[in-house]
Amino acid sequence: MEKQKLPNALAVLILGILSILTCCCYGVIGLILAIVALVLAGKDKKLYLENPELYSNYSNLNTGKILAIIGIVLNVLTIIYFIWLIATFGLEGMQDQELMEARIREMLGS
């Protein structure tokens, strides 16, 4: 009997990669992609554990799940960083380069 592929393994892998690549988009897009990847990975893992002898691409699923976890960590750190920036410099400080430079000089004591 020929082994079949898990239905969402490739999607989980692609979403995991994209979640890492999009962490620079304020963390929101990548976080959503990583969460979707983990949900799909959970469904496929359950399917795999019921009949492991039927499926051949569990390694892709596992790799995608690991990438999604890394994506979640990177995106959460990005969100925390942007929250810190807004709390420290304010929205208008982030939009005005001269004001931002002045506040950074204040912070550094220069």
Side-chain angles (χ1 to χ4, degrees):
M1 181 174 161
E2 188 176 322
K3 291 186 174 188
Q4 55 187 352
K5 295 183 184 250
L6 289 164
N8 297 318
L10 183 60
V12 170
L13 186 61
I14 291 171
L15 288 170
I17 292 169
L18 289 175
S19 73
I20 293 172
L21 293 176
T22 58
C23 72
C24 58
C25 300
Y26 301 104
V28 178
I29 295 171
L31 188 61
I32 293 169
L33 294 175
I35 290 170
V36 170
L38 283 180
V39 169
L40 291 175
K43 289 180 182 180
D44 270 13
K45 184 175 182 180
K46 183 178 177 184
L47 189 64
Y48 175 79
L49 292 176
E50 289 174 0
N51 291 309
E53 65 278 349
L54 294 179
Y55 301 104
S56 64
N57 62 342
Y58 183 72
S59 62
N60 284 353
L61 180 71
N62 209 25
T63 303
K65 183 179 176 184
I66 292 168
L67 290 173
I69 292 169
I70 293 169
I72 285 177
V73 170
L74 289 175
N75 285 292
V76 166
L77 289 174
T78 302
I79 290 170
I80 291 170
Y81 173 70
F82 279 108
I83 290 171
W84 175 81
L85 277 178
I86 292 169
T88 304
F89 301 110
L91 286 175
E92 62 183 48
M94 290 178 61
Q95 294 172 351
D96 184 2
Q97 184 176 356
E98 291 176 9
L99 183 58
M100 182 114 161
E101 288 174 7
R103 289 191 179 164
I104 290 174
R105 278 193 220 101
E106 285 176 17
M107 286 177 64
L108 297 175
S110 308

